[in-house]
Amino acid sequence: MSTSLKIYDTTLRDGTQGEGISFSVTDKLLIAQKLDQFGVDYIEGGFPGSNPRDISFFAEAKKLKLTHAKLAAFGATRRAGVKPEEDAQLRTLIESEMPVLTIVGKTWLMHVHEILRTTPEENLAMIEDSVRYLVAQGREVIYDAEHFFDGYLDNSDYALRTLEAAARGGASNLTLCETNGGKLVPEVHKIAAAAVARFGRDKVGVHCHNDSGLGVAVTLAGVDAGASLVQGTMNGYGERVGNANLVTLLPNLFLKMGRTANCAKNLKELRDLSLFFDELANLRPNPKAPFVGQSAFAHKGGLHANAAQKVARSYEHIDPALVGNRTRVLVSDMAGRTSLTLKARELGIELDERLPAMKGLIDELKEREFRGYEYEAADASFRLLIAKWLGQQKTFFDVENYRVIIERHNNQIWSEATVKLTVNGEAMHTVAEASGPVGALDKALRLALAKAYPQLQTMSLRDYKVRILESNQGAGSRTRVLIESGNGKKIWGTVGVSDNIIDASWEALRDSVEYMLMQS
Amino acid sequence: MSTSLKIYDTTLRDGTQGEGISFSVTDKLLIAQKLDQFGVDYIEGGFPGSNPRDISFFAEAKKLKLTHAKLAAFGATRRAGVKPEEDAQLRTLIESEMPVLTIVGKTWLMHVHEILRTTPEENLAMIEDSVRYLVAQGREVIYDAEHFFDGYLDNSDYALRTLEAAARGGASNLTLCETNGGKLVPEVHKIAAAAVARFGRDKVGVHCHNDSGLGVAVTLAGVDAGASLVQGTMNGYGERVGNANLVTLLPNLFLKMGRTANCAKNLKELRDLSLFFDELANLRPNPKAPFVGQSAFAHKGGLHANAAQKVARSYEHIDPALVGNRTRVLVSDMAGRTSLTLKARELGIELDERLPAMKGLIDELKEREFRGYEYEAADASFRLLIAKWLGQQKTFFDVENYRVIIERHNNQIWSEATVKLTVNGEAMHTVAEASGPVGALDKALRLALAKAYPQLQTMSLRDYKVRILESNQGAGSRTRVLIESGNGKKIWGTVGVSDNIIDASWEALRDSVEYMLMQS
């Protein structure tokens, strides 16, 4: 039995139909290259007949030098009663110049009647003609059978005939789509097996949705039944509850079902890949994502400090390193010195558990975390806290006050910040302006320190994230700000929490500057 | 075949082991009553032998008058070499005075050796003795077989013998636990079927975790194999990737698998129940949660928005009303006149597709969405936009300028806002202060309008969300602010986008006020 699969990524097409997901053409090109590096076999880049922006994408994409993946453009079968060569939508597909063209067609007779408003026979001709026409243009054609499982349950004979029509036309793969995400595992297995029995493993694929919370499970069932092409999206992006999540599918397929694919060799990049997509999509990574989530292998301290290696591993279903993740020790209200030591070691700091300062540090950490501080992405703030308790903290400057003014006048918006501080005994009072208040504050602060600490010139704000912690407190909500700074060589993160969004930003900015000074 | 199941909720015990979840005793009592109202059969309230806080919970909980559910206390088998009546942990279980006691025991020989450090025979005695002892105290005892599936794969004979020991002791149910969440559907089905074959449907339950993204799927497989008791947590709370999610399980079981349970009659309360739990746990509801998520029945993409009612329903796997949810139409950049008309209709506005203004409206919508505006949670801003294009927009006030000052002095933080505007020909110039800049601006604005529009007094800011749209632009990033306002009767959302976080907030505030004035 062949264990080799083709992985077909539709993040850039089906994935973008999800609420809140929007990629620019530049994003999409970056994504295509990233997916190619990771090793997927197909990248469905868009729907040119529906999305003008995708036409621009394909115009640029055809210049990409991909190492393995084949780019696909998505479309539909020709319209009823129209010759394929006269169908505008098929023409946009051809004009995309993509080597692979994936077209969706109707399987369910109700849709043939009510949506296409045509006859069952014409629908079969639409499928066969369209596939044949595109194949004749020298493209690989994949056929997506919409609502295949519902259509099969309604009329299994007709459903299989739609696949036959596509096969006759020369489709390289017949992908069974579980379009409304409602089927359970046994049904999907049975129906997929019927298609595999008729057309062979090499010819059948699955494309499922997560409406019943079973997107991954039914896809695995399809593979178990013999399907050799798997469609899905990164992080399960997609309409409604999303498409089958490739990030969850791949480890299950490669580590537990004995399957392989070109990207299997890069499985340890999975966590980074998942984070890359959330970053670009500007979504908060799901800490509870299977395999790659921050909590996926997060255990309470006692387990690992106390249990033998072998036994500790039995509590984890896989070795987290295989997907680029790691075991984490939770600093929870059950955590003690051992957890903190492990946590510090994670950052390369060796803490002596027996130090009296440890208790104070743990207490402050718990209190801060209770107030909303989060140190996972703010290693520099965490190090400053440790330095303080180890008596290693230096005072680089003394801030007396700051003021930020935001003014809107005649539809112009303007921000000015002033900072007053003492450094090396000298009083500095600076002002700066920027489009936004935090930018202005950042500039004013570094201006005030420029003379005493010229190395701050190389420092810049790279990333700025805001999270309202208790949004239902209206505008008085506690806010957490995470800042990422860099100096061209290193990158570090800091955090600030306050009811005042500017003050939270100030705190993170201050930590960032102090950290850089501590390092130099 | 009996289709009746018992639903066993462990949100208050296993669910609370998850990162970031913490319920007070008061919360827990509220939750227990809520779960009882919903109709679950068992409520596992806590782990008194491990969590002193749970002892307080049970002391209070025994006074609750529940209508159907039975409260359970969780614990473990007695220690090796100790008589059950002399085991302190078993004693706390009895002292909880709960009618149901659930104890977990070891199935996997490796754990018997390495963790319990005892013999296989003693472990069987521990199981049987402990169950028998608790039953003799007049309690119903449920036995949780830890790591059952891994244990069975290691030594199926021994694994079944652990269940036999519990059965001999008088356990009412033998729950097979998939403790590390690593098994796939076919394996769980097979092993559960073996247990059912040996002990009968009425005696077997399943308790699964979501580490492989299959928590729901394997639980359904267990039921398919004959298990009649289902353990899970609300919203899938729990350690690591969480427990099997009851909110996803129940609709699948009742609507698709022909099963029933006491709570099936309340299925339409499911969405509210899910939101209740997130509210209490202070977690953001997952919009992509199967069945109950805000996006679960939200359709985008021309393919779906065009279809007729009957056909439209075929794109939904169930009628959303069955779980207390509803269909939503998304406004996207693929929206044409039809999508826009549907969206407006959802909001109670009848738009004539043929109006010339429609093109302008669609263009502005696309342009704004391109700049980062999002209208899904900002229906009021959307309505204002429509009103503008339909020539229905009124000018309620004319803003000349605003200024916001944030000052930090001697570790005190202070925000003051001034607003200058004209209303009904009269110039108003107001000032207000608050802990944060947006709060101050909100107050100053409404102060300026209070005389002309006294109804604004009832208005307040309920929720405030900030999203940095391109966080890698550092502090100059475009920011989107979403505000939810209310006046005691209605709730509405507005949006603002700017490079300046205060100005984005201003825009959303302004829309909010204008919308309220438009409605009155």
Side-chain angles (χ1 to χ4, degrees), chain B residues 220-236:
Chain B
L220 296 182
V223 171
D224 193 51
S228 62
L229 181 139
V230 168
Q231 293 202 19
T233 60
M234 284 294 158
N235 295 337

Side-chain angles (χ1 to χ4, degrees), chain A residues 294 297-299 304 316 318-321 325-329 346:
Chain A
Q294 189 169 304
F297 298 92
H299 302 273
H304 285 263
E316 291 183 339
I318 63 158
D319 173 1
N325 206 344
R326 61 184 179 79
T327 302
R328 276 180 58 231
V329 174
E346 252 175 53

Side-chain angles (χ1 to χ4, degrees), chain B residues 47 74-79 87 89-90 93 102-105 130 134:
Chain B
F47 194 163
F74 177 84
T77 49
R78 67 164 172 79
R79 278 163 56 230
D87 187 281
Q89 191 255 147
L90 287 182
L93 276 184
T102 299
I103 57 173
V104 65
S130 305
L134 298 175

Side-chain angles (χ1 to χ4, degrees), chain A residues 398-404 418-422 428-430 441 445 506, chain B residues 406-412:
Chain A
D398 238 306
V399 177
E400 193 180 321
N401 72 33
Y402 72 74
R403 179 184 305 130
V404 179
T418 65
V419 170
K420 204 183 204 178
L421 52 78
T422 315
M428 302 295 294
H429 195 179
T430 53
L441 205 49
L445 173 61
W506 165 259
Chain B
I406 300 112
E407 196 168 309
R408 185 189 181 90
H409 194 103
N410 291 335
N411 281 334
Q412 298 267 70

Side-chain angles (χ1 to χ4, degrees), chain A residues 51-86:
Chain A
N51 241 348
R53 206 196 309 195
D54 289 347
I55 296 177
S56 327
F57 167 72
F58 287 120
E60 295 302 310
K62 69 188 183 214
K63 305 171 195 164
L64 289 176
K65 298 223 176 309
L66 301 179
T67 60
H68 171 85
K70 288 187 271 190
L71 280 168
F74 176 85
T77 50
R78 66 165 173 80
R79 277 163 56 228
V82 167
K83 295 200 197 109
E85 53 268 24
E86 286 162 14

Side-chain angles (χ1 to χ4, degrees), chain B residues 176-248:
Chain B
L176 320 177
C177 302
E178 218 298 86
T179 308
N180 63 23
K183 294 287 162 291
L184 302 182
V185 164
E187 229 164 13
V188 168
H189 192 280
K190 203 174 88 150
I191 295 172
V196 168
R198 178 75 71 94
F199 300 98
R201 293 170 167 275
D202 291 346
K203 270 288 219 254
V204 175
V206 280
H207 170 120
C208 304
H209 287 261
N210 198 33
D211 296 74
S212 306
L214 298 171
V216 167
V218 292
T219 303
L220 296 182
V223 171
D224 193 51
S228 62
L229 181 139
V230 168
Q231 293 202 19
T233 60
M234 284 294 158
N235 295 337
Y237 297 154
E239 276 190 273
R240 304 184 312 272
V241 186
N243 284 56
N245 185 346
L246 282 176
V247 174
T248 311

Side-chain angles (χ1 to χ4, degrees), chain A residues 16-21 47 50-51 53 106 108 110-111 114-115 146-147 179-182 184-186 210-214 216-217 220 224 236 238-242 248 252 256-257 279 281-284 288-291 295-296 298-300 310-311 314-317 328 330 333 400-410 413 415 435-439 461-476 499-503 506, chain B residues 17-19 53 106 108 110-111 114-115 146-147 180-182 184-186 210-214 216-217 220 224 236 238-242 248 252 256-257 279 282 284 288-291 294-300 303-304 307 310-311 314-317 328 330 333-334 370 374 376 400-410 413 415 435-439 461-476 499-503 506:
Chain A
T16 62
Q17 288 178 201
E19 214 171 343
I21 301 260
F47 193 164
S50 160
N51 241 348
R53 206 196 309 195
K106 301 290 183 216
W108 202 342
M110 168 174 63
H111 291 164
E114 306 283 344
I115 297 183
E146 205 200 40
H147 286 286
T179 307
N180 64 23
L184 304 181
V185 164
N210 198 32
D211 296 73
S212 306
L214 299 171
V216 168
L220 296 182
D224 192 51
E239 267 184 276
R240 304 185 311 275
V241 185
T248 311
N252 277 321
K256 302 181 188 197
M257 284 177 70
E279 184 87 22
N282 205 14
L283 290 172
R284 183 189 310 252
K288 285 181 114 56
F291 298 103
S295 297
H299 302 273
K300 286 170 295 211
K310 169 175 75 167
V311 171
S314 68
Y315 282 87
E316 291 183 339
H317 66 122
R328 276 180 58 231
L330 296 182
D333 57 12
E400 193 180 321
N401 72 33
Y402 72 74
R403 179 184 305 130
V404 179
I405 301 177
I406 300 114
E407 198 168 308
R408 184 189 182 90
H409 195 102
N410 291 336
I413 182 84
S415 287
S435 57
V438 177
L461 224 74
R462 290 166 47 92
D463 205 328
Y464 175 78
K465 289 187 169 87
V466 177
R467 165 92 86 92
I468 310 294
L469 296 177
E470 302 150 6
S471 64
N472 56 5
Q473 305 300 316
D499 288 346
N500 184 308
I501 203 169
I502 304 303
D503 201 47
W506 165 259
Chain B
Q17 288 176 200
E19 214 173 342
R53 206 196 310 195
K106 301 288 183 218
W108 202 342
M110 169 175 61
H111 291 165
E114 305 282 345
I115 296 184
E146 205 201 39
H147 286 289
N180 63 23
L184 302 182
V185 164
N210 198 33
D211 296 74
S212 306
L214 298 171
V216 167
L220 296 182
D224 193 51
E239 276 190 273
R240 304 184 312 272
V241 186
T248 311
N252 277 321
K256 303 181 188 200
M257 283 177 70
E279 183 88 20
N282 205 14
R284 181 186 311 246
K288 284 181 114 54
F291 298 104
Q294 188 170 308
S295 297
F297 298 92
H299 301 275
K300 186 174 174 174
L303 278 176
H304 305 291
K310 168 174 78 168
V311 172
S314 70
Y315 283 88
E316 291 182 339
H317 66 123
R328 282 176 54 231
L330 300 181
D333 59 7
M334 288 189 285
F370 184 74
E374 204 180 73
E376 294 313 323
E400 191 179 322
N401 70 33
Y402 73 74
R403 179 183 306 130
V404 180
I405 301 179
I406 300 112
E407 196 168 309
R408 185 189 181 90
H409 194 103
N410 291 335
I413 183 84
S415 287
S435 56
V438 179
L461 225 73
R462 288 167 50 94
D463 205 328
Y464 174 78
K465 292 186 166 88
V466 177
R467 168 86 84 87
I468 310 293
L469 297 177
E470 300 152 6
S471 64
N472 55 5
Q473 304 301 313
D499 286 345
N500 183 307
I501 203 169
I502 303 304
D503 201 47
W506 165 259

